[in-house]
Amino acid sequence: MSHLSRFNIGLIFLLVVSIVTTFLYYEISLASLLIPVVFTSIYYISKNSKNWILFFVYTIPLWTNLSNKGINPIDLAIIIVWYSGLILFFFNMIYIKKRTIIKNLGDFLILFFFFMYLFYLIMGVITGTSPIAGSISEYLRAGVILLYFPIREEITSYKKLNYFVKHLIFSLFLTFIFWSILNYLRISSARNIYEATSFQRSNQEIFTLGIIFGSIFYISLKGFKSKSAFLILTLFSGIGLIITFSRVYWITTIMGLTISFFFFEAKKKINILFLVFTILTIFIIGILTLAPELSEYLFDYFYKRFTSSTDLTGDVSFLSRFDEIFKLYDEIYLYLLGGMGLSRDFSYYNSSFDLVNWISPFIHNAYVHISYKAGIPMALVYFSVLGFYVTSSLSKIRKNNSEIINAFYLSSGICIIIFLIVSLLTSTFSSRPGGVFLALVIAFINIADNLKNDK
């Protein structure tokens, strides 16, 4: 019996089991029906790493747009295939090909961090300070950054890069479309200004990546098709970021574009300003077209939302972050080395926002977040990885590099700087888009290194 025949028989068997399970246990029907999908996906990614990378790319829209609350069957299917591919990659590299996977200090530190983070997960569960489901969820979301290893090893030439980027850009378009449909339904059915401004606040990291990479590559490349693709990516991402109402991402993205000014001549600096102006123009036209009766209120809301960031002493949202940090300071001090567990709830009385007691495992500061959950040493290790890569990327920009290589170094370096600043006010470390964002950014730094050897 051939290998393919055995696979087909196994797949049919799983389908039959899934259908029977659906009739017997309706509440787990979706999960059972996804078993053949997962089985098939793992089979094909085991045959070719390119298949696995394409699966990762095209499931980004689903992964980043689903809710962080709870676990659903689609989540489970995606994360099983992602991590199955990752495990197969490490096994193949270490035991089959016998190649080293640690190429620099950043690789060593990130692997060391997640090895130790697993230890803290186990200890938190054993001691009862951290629920097992929440701890595993936290670990898996943060661990998505490790996907940069197989992407780096797969994309070793301009030909492979071209293939990968085409699919990635299309997937990012799908991310925007998926996300915008959800928000359009909210806007079109809004009965008041509160409902009209209740946008889905997700994908900020993905939109920021689209703006930074899109604008820098639009400026750097010369081909009409390439420039058009990156221009559209930039415009879509810019509109998406505006509608998230995430002021910290608005400001840090503007800061990132400002940093890029210093790396381009005057003509290209004008192009950056043109991109910003075009994004704002399309956004204004879109609001006037989609919600004309609410446009005045929406523009006023956006204006107040942005200008409130200039007066931090009067911004209750900003001040509430300090309530959170000061409350956690005493607990972090008690557990400097070991932390409190990956999914331990904390409570604090919010004296600046709504005068209620908040209970949550989420901390609006990534530095404090990791320190609280796994201790200060682990926080230093994790952010040393990002410090290593931002320094490495920006220091490798050279005149004798191709424009594509320099564009990757510059875009990646700016994106990590944005991440480090944003981490002061929110915990992108363990968010769904945050893991994908870092995996892609660090992969692109390593891919740029690979391209230097491709003539």
Side-chain angles (χ1 to χ4, degrees), residues 44-61:
Y44 282 108
I45 64 175
S46 65
K47 295 178 69 66
N48 190 330
S49 58
K50 184 171 70 174
N51 295 336
W52 176 84
I53 290 176
L54 286 180
F55 181 91
F56 165 69
V57 166
Y58 280 109
T59 49
I60 288 174

Side-chain angles (χ1 to χ4, degrees), residues 51-121:
N51 295 336
W52 176 84
I53 290 176
L54 286 180
F55 181 91
F56 165 69
V57 166
Y58 280 109
T59 49
I60 288 174
L62 284 174
W63 174 254
T64 59
N65 281 292
L66 291 171
S67 171
N68 275 328
K69 297 178 180 179
I71 298 176
N72 61 60
I74 298 177
D75 278 339
L76 197 59
I78 291 173
I79 209 68
I80 287 175
V81 177
W82 282 10
Y83 276 91
S84 295
L86 191 62
I87 292 170
L88 286 172
F89 164 77
F90 282 120
F91 180 82
N92 186 49
M93 288 287 289
I94 297 172
Y95 294 104
I96 306 300
K97 294 183 178 180
K98 299 189 183 301
R99 290 169 52 188
T100 179
I101 57 175
I102 298 177
K103 295 185 176 181
N104 52 50
L105 178 62
D107 291 348
F108 171 78
L109 291 176
I110 199 67
L111 290 174
F112 174 75
F113 173 84
F114 279 101
F115 174 79
M116 294 300 298
Y117 210 50
L118 180 61
F119 172 76
Y120 290 118
L121 182 158

Side-chain angles (χ1 to χ4, degrees), residues 39-333:
F39 181 76
T40 304
S41 301
I42 293 175
Y43 171 78
Y44 282 108
I45 64 175
S46 65
K47 295 178 69 66
N48 190 330
S49 58
K50 184 171 70 174
N51 295 336
W52 176 84
I53 290 176
L54 286 180
F55 181 91
F56 165 69
V57 166
Y58 280 109
T59 49
I60 288 174
L62 284 174
W63 174 254
T64 59
N65 281 292
L66 291 171
S67 171
N68 275 328
K69 297 178 180 179
I71 298 176
N72 61 60
I74 298 177
D75 278 339
L76 197 59
I78 291 173
I79 209 68
I80 287 175
V81 177
W82 282 10
Y83 276 91
S84 295
L86 191 62
I87 292 170
L88 286 172
F89 164 77
F90 282 120
F91 180 82
N92 186 49
M93 288 287 289
I94 297 172
Y95 294 104
I96 306 300
K97 294 183 178 180
K98 299 189 183 301
R99 290 169 52 188
T100 179
I101 57 175
I102 298 177
K103 295 185 176 181
N104 52 50
L105 178 62
D107 291 348
F108 171 78
L109 291 176
I110 199 67
L111 290 174
F112 174 75
F113 173 84
F114 279 101
F115 174 79
M116 294 300 298
Y117 210 50
L118 180 61
F119 172 76
Y120 290 118
L121 182 158
I122 295 171
M123 291 303 298
V125 172
I126 290 175
T127 58
T129 62
S130 183
I132 184 169
S135 298
I136 293 174
S137 177
E138 167 95 6
Y139 187 91
L140 293 177
R141 291 198 309 272
V144 170
I145 187 178
L146 297 175
L147 301 184
Y148 85 81
F149 281 97
I151 297 174
R152 174 187 72 185
E153 295 301 319
E154 176 66 24
I155 314 301
T156 55
S157 67
Y158 281 100
K159 183 179 179 180
K160 291 182 177 180
L161 173 66
N162 184 50
Y163 180 82
F164 175 73
V165 170
K166 284 180 179 178
H167 287 281
L168 179 61
I169 289 178
F170 185 69
S171 177
L172 295 181
F173 288 156
L174 293 178
T175 302
F176 174 83
I177 292 170
F178 197 140
W179 177 91
S180 60
I181 288 174
L182 296 176
N183 284 302
Y184 173 73
L185 294 174
R186 287 190 176 127
I187 295 174
S188 61
S189 61
R191 293 167 295 180
N192 51 54
I193 188 61
Y194 174 77
E195 292 182 358
T197 55
S198 298
F199 297 105
Q200 184 183 13
R201 296 190 183 181
S202 63
N203 287 305
Q204 298 98 315
E205 298 90 341
I206 301 299
F207 293 143
T208 297
L209 181 143
I211 293 171
I212 298 300
F213 274 84
S215 59
I216 291 177
F217 273 84
Y218 168 77
I219 292 170
S220 301
L221 300 181
K222 296 179 181 179
F224 175 76
K225 290 183 178 180
S226 298
K227 290 181 75 70
S228 298
F230 283 108
L231 174 61
I232 295 172
L233 175 64
T234 305
L235 297 179
F236 278 27
S237 300
I239 295 168
L241 186 62
I242 292 173
I243 301 178
T244 62
F245 286 110
S246 299
R247 292 170 297 168
V248 63
Y249 282 96
W250 293 352
I251 294 171
T252 51
T253 301
I254 292 172
M255 291 172 59
L257 293 174
T258 303
I259 292 172
S260 70
F261 262 55
F262 297 100
F263 292 88
F264 293 112
E265 62 270 20
K267 182 179 178 180
K268 292 183 176 180
K269 291 177 181 178
I270 295 174
N271 286 336
I272 294 177
L273 295 175
F274 163 75
L275 288 174
V276 174
F277 175 77
T278 304
I279 290 171
L280 292 175
T281 301
I282 294 176
F283 169 72
I284 291 171
I285 294 173
I287 291 293
L288 292 172
T289 303
L290 297 175
E293 69 282 358
L294 294 173
S295 59
E296 181 179 350
Y297 296 101
L298 286 171
F299 290 138
D300 184 60
Y301 185 84
F302 275 101
Y303 175 76
K304 290 180 178 178
R305 180 79 176 165
F306 183 78
T307 55
S308 64
S309 302
T310 61
D311 181 19
L312 298 180
T313 58
D315 190 326
V316 293
S317 179
F318 177 78
L319 293 175
S320 68
R321 304 296 202 266
F322 286 94
D323 275 352
E324 203 173 57
I325 293 172
F326 289 139
K327 168 59 181 177
L328 289 168
Y329 175 79
D330 293 335
E331 295 192 39
I332 292 174
Y333 182 76

Side-chain angles (χ1 to χ4, degrees), residues 367-382:
Y367 303 94
V368 176
H369 182 109
I370 302 177
S371 298
Y372 175 74
K373 293 176 182 285
I376 291 177
M378 285 297 98
L380 292 174
V381 170
Y382 185 84

